[in-house]
Amino acid sequence: MAVTDTNSWTGIREELLRRIHDRVWEPGAQIPHEADLAEEFGCARTTVNRALRDLAESGLVIRKRRAGTRVALNPPQRATLTIPIIREEVEALGKTYRHSLLERAYQPVPPMLHGVFHASLGEDVLYLKTLHFADERPYAFEERHINLDTVPQARERKFEVSSANEWLVHNAPYSRGDLSFSALNADEDTARILDCTPGTALFTMERITWTGDAPITHVKLIFAAGYRMRSTI
Amino acid sequence: MAVTDTNSWTGIREELLRRIHDRVWEPGAQIPHEADLAEEFGCARTTVNRALRDLAESGLVIRKRRAGTRVALNPPQRATLTIPIIREEVEALGKTYRHSLLERAYQPVPPMLHGVFHASLGEDVLYLKTLHFADERPYAFEERHINLDTVPQARERKFEVSSANEWLVHNAPYSRGDLSFSALNADEDTARILDCTPGTALFTMERITWTGDAPITHVKLIFAAGYRMRSTI
DNA sequence: AAAGATAATATGCATGCACATATTAACGTG
DNA sequence: CACGTTAATATGTGCATGCATATTATCTTT
């Protein structure tokens, strides 16, 4: 019994998954060795290994070298969420993308960012206000600060043709970033810009990216009403 | 030159990564075949394959069967976000967690879920309304549907002591899930439950989890005003 | 020349084997 | 008996090979 349809590693993964799900192997319990499973399924150990590795990557089982493989007690719920470039996101919806630069200024570091941009307190940052459109309807409103200490080449960029986001992605690769998501009631200005009524709940994403210890940029994106961010586990 | 320290697949991945980063292979450009790379690095094709597969998983290269491998034009920005069990999230804030079951009923599949729960259209689902507290203040409001076809053991559970979330995590491991996040204006009911004024922008998370093709549960979590979901890249 | 059949090709995957490495269990010695 | 050494073991990884499969290019046939 327990013969999988195919001997593909995905087939074996499904069968292992079934056993975990059906509590043939309870949470915390040790599961048979790769070699035993390989024999049972009539396949090579490599194939079982691939299936188990995949389950381990998704956090369902814990593997240790000599200790064997056991079913995770608290399978972590991790989701990888892809933050697309807005232009691509819009174009993926089959709509036409356009953006418009509302404001471009050199400013001292705003108080809100003193904590993170402290490295360049004396220096000005490049401040950009951009509105992204999908089929000529407002899609997202972007406020951005660029650290000119870290990315001095940005000082000369107009950011009228290609958006700051795309330029930075290609020219200032970051090593890490902090993200936060929240809901926001539209104030008068935002409502006007995003073409909604004041008070509308808007999905907001804030992001600060760094290269090493140096902050590159801070972005606040306020999406038009009805936006949903999607992801899969 | 270009000899990696080791012939490990991670070493090769690092070298490929460097070439992409240093624009030896420009975005959109095709990179050599596995066989050629294997020869260059003096290793087996399997090893190159493993490195390339890993890069493809993280979205840096795009692979197609006969078309070959090319550097992604716009490397997607991925963030891993950990979705904690609410109790743990609250306790991590140093607050006391409590939840209260507001409603528990057997219902036909609601129209909203016909698309996803179609496998059990005739069958009832278990519907739960739960309010989560942090230090006796409302933290999140949860509406949940549990597919009794997939998780029949849930029919007998009261979910008064341990929350449905925790019970499901331990008893019905899922293989995949769809997540979506949005902002929502509080209606009269929600405002009353979450102790805010109607119209307040609330952060909302919706999740459907599956085991194979069978849907396990659908959850809608509406967080109290001011909630921020955080993550790092 | 357009459409359909066929060949070529790059990745995807399975196998059997060997060795590396981390970890635990067993062993010995003071 | 405590503690350090050694052996056993399960996973991790690499290799050579062969076949599967998707996709593109080419070669027919009408």
Side-chain angles (χ1 to χ4, degrees):
Chain A
M1 62 144 287
V3 175
T4 46
D5 332 1
T6 72
N7 272 2
S8 67
W9 70 271
T10 47
I12 287 170
R13 184 189 53 190
E14 291 320 304
E15 171 59 17
L16 300 177
L17 207 60
R18 188 195 63 75
R19 294 190 191 178
I20 292 171
H21 182 271
D22 293 356
R23 308 195 126 233
V24 178
W25 298 323
E26 306 223 338
Q30 193 145 6
I31 76 180
H33 318 154
E34 292 185 349
D36 288 357
L37 289 170
E39 195 184 359
E40 187 197 342
F41 291 121
C43 68
R45 187 169 76 89
T46 320
T47 312
V48 174
N49 183 288
R50 180 88 193 260
L52 283 171
R53 234 181 27 219
D54 194 77
L55 290 177
E57 254 171 46
S58 67
L60 252 90
V61 301
I62 313 284
R63 317 195 74 198
K64 272 200 271 184
R65 283 243 164 154
R66 139 94 209 207
T69 306
R70 40 184 70 240
V71 181
L73 272 172
N74 289 300
Q77 320 207 11
R78 279 190 249 117
T80 36
L81 86 88
T82 319
I83 299 144
I85 291 175
I86 295 185
R87 181 176 59 75
E88 291 187 349
E89 190 176 20
V90 167
E91 287 170 354
L93 293 170
K95 301 188 174 178
T96 311
Y97 173 76
R98 180 173 78 80
H99 75 271
S100 140
L101 189 60
L102 304 184
E103 192 179 332
R104 184 182 187 286
Y106 301 101
Q107 290 187 351
V109 179
M112 179 183 81
L113 294 179
H114 277 179
V116 284
F117 272 35
H118 60 83
S120 51
L121 253 184
E123 185 66 23
D124 279 357
V125 296
L126 180 56
Y127 173 71
L128 299 168
K129 255 166 89 169
T130 312
L131 186 54
H132 303 266
F133 293 89
D135 276 355
E136 297 303 321
R137 297 197 49 187
Y139 186 79
F141 170 58
E142 172 183 317
E143 277 187 296
R144 181 185 290 268
H145 301 269
I146 300 177
N147 187 344
L148 293 172
D149 266 5
T150 320
V151 202
Q153 322 94 284
R155 186 184 289 276
E156 310 306 327
R157 303 286 308 185
K158 292 271 178 279
F159 297 121
E160 279 161 358
V161 191
S162 81
S163 79
N165 188 16
E166 288 189 58
W167 186 83
L168 284 167
V169 163
H170 289 109
N171 294 277
Y174 57 85
S175 49
R176 66 193 173 87
D178 292 334
L179 278 164
S180 85
F181 306 90
S182 57
L184 186 83
N185 285 106
D187 60 22
E188 290 286 343
D189 281 350
T190 314
R192 191 168 32 72
I193 292 172
L194 286 176
D195 193 22
C196 63
T197 52
T200 306
L202 301 175
F203 186 83
T204 306
M205 174 174 95
E206 248 176 297
R207 181 173 24 155
I208 298 169
T209 51
W210 320 69
T211 177
D213 284 340
I216 298 175
T217 188
H218 166 268
V219 207
K220 182 173 184 177
L221 269 171
I222 305 176
F223 290 90
Y227 180 82
R228 293 185 90 82
M229 182 175 77
R230 286 165 208 285
S231 165
T232 53
I233 303 185
Chain B
M1 62 143 285
V3 175
T4 46
D5 332 2
T6 71
N7 272 2
S8 67
W9 68 272
T10 48
I12 288 169
R13 183 189 55 189
E14 290 322 302
E15 171 59 18
L16 300 177
L17 207 60
R18 189 195 63 75
R19 293 188 192 181
I20 292 169
H21 195 274
D22 293 356
R23 305 190 135 238
V24 178
W25 298 322
E26 306 225 336
Q30 193 145 6
I31 76 180
H33 317 153
E34 291 186 351
D36 288 357
L37 290 169
E39 195 183 359
E40 186 197 344
F41 291 120
C43 69
R45 188 168 77 85
T46 321
T47 312
V48 174
N49 182 288
R50 180 89 192 262
L52 282 172
R53 233 180 29 217
D54 194 77
L55 290 176
E57 256 170 43
S58 67
L60 253 93
V61 300
I62 314 284
R63 318 194 73 196
K64 272 199 271 184
R65 282 249 161 145
R66 137 97 207 208
T69 306
R70 41 184 71 241
V71 180
L73 272 172
N74 290 300
Q77 320 200 19
R78 296 212 175 137
T80 332
L81 91 92
T82 320
I83 297 143
I85 291 174
I86 294 186
R87 181 175 59 74
E88 291 178 355
E89 190 177 18
V90 167
E91 286 169 356
L93 293 170
K95 301 188 175 179
T96 311
Y97 172 77
R98 180 175 78 80
H99 74 272
S100 138
L101 190 60
L102 304 184
E103 192 179 334
R104 184 183 186 285
Y106 302 101
Q107 292 185 350
V109 179
M112 178 183 81
L113 294 178
H114 277 180
V116 284
F117 273 35
H118 60 83
S120 51
L121 252 183
E123 185 67 22
D124 279 358
V125 297
L126 180 56
Y127 172 72
L128 299 169
K129 255 165 88 170
T130 311
L131 185 54
H132 302 267
F133 293 89
D135 276 354
E136 297 304 320
R137 297 195 49 188
Y139 186 79
F141 170 58
E142 173 184 317
E143 276 187 296
R144 182 185 290 269
H145 301 270
I146 300 176
N147 187 344
L148 293 171
D149 266 6
T150 320
V151 201
Q153 322 93 286
R155 186 184 290 274
E156 310 306 328
R157 304 286 308 184
K158 292 271 179 279
F159 297 120
E160 278 160 0
V161 191
S162 81
S163 77
N165 188 17
E166 289 189 59
W167 185 83
L168 283 167
V169 163
H170 288 108
N171 294 277
Y174 57 84
S175 49
R176 65 193 174 87
D178 293 333
L179 279 163
S180 84
F181 306 90
S182 57
L184 187 82
N185 285 105
D187 61 21
E188 291 286 343
D189 280 350
T190 313
R192 190 168 31 73
I193 292 173
L194 285 176
D195 193 21
C196 64
T197 52
T200 305
L202 300 176
F203 186 83
T204 306
M205 174 175 95
E206 247 177 297
R207 181 174 26 158
I208 298 169
T209 51
W210 320 68
T211 177
D213 284 339
I216 299 175
T217 187
H218 165 267
V219 205
K220 182 174 184 177
L221 269 171
I222 305 176
F223 290 90
Y227 180 82
R228 290 186 93 82
M229 181 174 77
R230 287 165 208 283
S231 166
T232 54
I233 303 184

